[in-house]
Amino acid sequence: MNSYLIQIFSFWIATFIVWFILAPYYIDLLKQAKLWKQIRENATIWKATEFFKLHKDKVWTPTMWWALILMVVFFMVLVSMILQGIWVIDNSLFNRKETYLVLFTLFTVWALWAIDDFMNIKWIWKTKWLSARFKMFWLIVFAVLGSLWFYFKLDWAHKDLLIPFLSHWIHIWIWFIPLFIFVIIASANSVNITDWLDWLAWGLLLFAYSVYAYITYDQGLYLLSALCVAIIWALIAFLWFNIKPAKFYMWDIWSLSLWATLWILAMMTNTIFVLLIVWAIFIFETISVIIQLTSKKLRNWKKIFKIAPFHHHLEAIWWSEETVVFRLWLIWIIFSIFGIMFYILQK
């Protein structure tokens, strides 16, 4: 076990060092390539003209920062494979039992939304981004394949779920498949919805991955824990180079791929309800959008919030961006502690 702790600590330090070396060069590359993000003035979710007024100063900020996070993570995986090949370490981060599925999820979701990001940046075709139907189709395909893999290959057909506050497990049998698909689809944009404030979604993801770094280590999934730590320190390094005002954005691709990966971690560790506790703010933000849209449709365009999702409503009632971010961080820390306590109690 000590050797695994050393390996986790080593990847922790190495990830941060690699980021410090590459980040300044990558920032210059983004600026030279003019990879600017466009803001959708008529957003398809909430037609947020007020949102545009609040954030118009963020137009033309470089994006595509997600590429560096993924490059560093996969670079660390490659380094671990080389170290295993020369017998420096016993197991690399590319491990069939623990990390194959997580790395596959990171890559596949990244690949789809990379196309959408690039189309938006370069204004390719008239739409300037992939249609919602096209992205939903591939998200459904991914969710179906993932559910079938867990059900048949990872033997979830014979596993049980723990219901919160009850002392017994329940067997959900074939209902696992629609549950998996529903959560993936329903939550796919939750991180993206909770974005557009400097550091907000970043911090919430950081806390969530910290919880799962502990859970995977506690369950003896040491390589998976090391991968979580690598992602955590990639996110920390991102903040180091992105103190307000933000110098770059990562946009849909990082939020969706990191969210999907968290869901896979929850399934692999059988901690779905822990994730729902930890994910409470993202869930509430998504619900606030649903409430807003429902109110507009049923009440002749009358709104519940000034802007949806809720964190933009707080901005609209004159909370500063920093106030919104730090208060939501505090709430998230509380939910993270509750999630860990629930995990410990359910064992």
Side-chain angles (χ1 to χ4, degrees):
M1 186 177 297
N2 288 335
S3 63
Y4 282 110
L5 279 174
I6 294 172
Q7 186 170 338
I8 291 172
F9 182 77
S10 300
F11 281 111
W12 163 7
I13 300 298
T15 301
F16 200 69
I17 292 174
V18 171
W19 262 81
F20 260 91
I21 294 173
L22 295 181
Y25 299 101
Y26 190 72
I27 293 172
D28 291 339
L29 177 64
L30 292 178
K31 293 179 179 178
Q32 292 173 12
K34 298 181 178 179
L35 297 176
W36 318 117
K37 191 64 190 178
Q38 316 297 332
I39 298 180
R40 308 180 190 188
E41 293 190 44
N42 290 320
T44 57
I45 296 179
W46 50 76
K47 297 188 181 299
T49 53
E50 291 186 55
F51 165 83
F52 184 77
K53 292 176 184 177
L54 285 171
H55 296 276
K56 61 184 178 180
D57 58 323
K58 298 182 180 181
V59 178
W60 312 119
T61 301
T63 185
M64 304 288 280
W65 189 253
W66 48 264
L68 187 56
I69 278 190
L70 292 174
M71 283 190 297
V72 169
V73 170
F74 281 102
F75 174 75
M76 297 310 300
V77 173
L78 178 61
V79 169
S80 70
M81 293 171 66
I82 294 173
L83 293 177
Q84 183 188 29
I86 59 177
W87 300 289
V88 175
I89 59 177
D90 295 328
N91 297 285
S92 74
L93 294 181
F94 195 65
N95 180 273
R96 181 176 181 178
K97 179 182 177 181
E98 296 188 30
T99 62
Y100 271 17
L101 197 55
V102 171
L103 293 173
F104 173 78
T105 302
L106 271 175
F107 181 80
T108 51
V109 180
W110 162 80
L112 175 59
W113 267 265
I115 299 172
D116 186 52
D117 260 6
F118 190 75
M119 286 175 60
N120 175 259
I121 291 166
K122 295 300 183 181
W123 284 25
I124 297 175
W125 302 329
K126 294 181 180 180
T127 60
K128 301 177 186 148
W129 40 72
L130 295 176
S131 69
R133 289 183 180 180
F134 180 84
K135 289 190 285 188
M136 180 59 69
F137 170 77
W138 285 108
L139 191 62
I140 292 173
V141 170
F142 170 79
V144 170
L145 293 177
S147 66
L148 294 175
W149 181 272
F150 269 94
Y151 191 76
F152 293 107
K153 290 291 186 179
L154 300 185
D155 202 31
W156 264 85
H158 301 97
K159 289 187 179 181
D160 300 322
L161 288 178
L162 180 65
I163 300 299
F165 311 115
L166 296 180
S167 59
H168 61 276
W169 296 75
I170 64 167
H171 183 61
I172 59 174
W173 191 50
I174 197 67
W175 293 106
F176 168 81
I177 294 176
L179 173 66
F180 186 100
I181 296 171
F182 171 77
V183 174
I184 283 286
I185 294 173
S187 306
N189 287 305
S190 61
V191 182
N192 186 39
I193 286 173
T194 316
D195 205 352
W196 267 106
L197 295 187
D198 294 351
W199 319 330
L200 177 57
W202 164 90
L204 304 186
L205 278 169
L206 176 69
F207 301 141
Y209 271 95
S210 298
V211 169
Y212 273 90
Y214 165 75
I215 290 175
T216 50
Y217 186 86
D218 183 68
Q219 294 191 7
L221 301 171
Y222 303 120
L223 299 175
L224 202 51
S225 182
L227 188 61
C228 288
V229 168
I231 294 174
I232 289 168
W233 280 93
L235 289 169
I236 291 175
F238 164 72
L239 178 62
W240 182 273
F241 288 97
N242 209 29
I243 297 297
K244 188 177 179 177
K247 301 177 183 65
F248 35 73
Y249 297 118
M250 287 180 285
W251 214 246
D252 293 6
I253 190 166
W254 73 283
S255 57
L256 291 168
S257 60
L258 290 178
W259 148 249
T261 302
L262 268 176
W263 173 243
I264 298 300
L265 288 170
M267 298 305 302
M268 293 181 68
T269 55
N270 201 356
T271 54
I272 296 175
F273 289 106
V274 173
L275 181 62
L276 293 179
I277 294 171
V278 173
W279 212 249
I281 290 180
F282 287 119
I283 294 172
F284 177 75
E285 292 275 48
T286 304
I287 291 173
S288 71
V289 173
I290 296 172
I291 292 173
Q292 186 84 324
L293 290 174
T294 303
S295 176
K296 286 182 177 180
K297 187 173 183 179
L298 300 180
R299 301 173 64 237
N300 194 25
W301 211 248
K302 291 182 180 179
K303 299 186 295 184
I304 302 296
F305 308 105
K306 286 183 176 293
I307 310 176
F310 184 68
H311 64 277
H312 290 313
H313 169 79
L314 296 176
E315 277 191 292
I317 62 174
W318 306 110
W319 283 31
S320 69
E321 188 170 9
E322 293 81 0
T323 300
V324 175
V325 170
F326 292 135
R327 285 181 176 172
L328 289 180
W329 277 12
L330 290 173
I331 295 172
W332 191 272
I333 291 172
I334 294 171
F335 279 117
S336 297
I337 294 172
F338 283 158
I340 293 175
M341 290 174 61
F342 176 75
Y343 168 74
I344 294 172
L345 290 173
Q346 77 174 17
K347 291 198 300 180

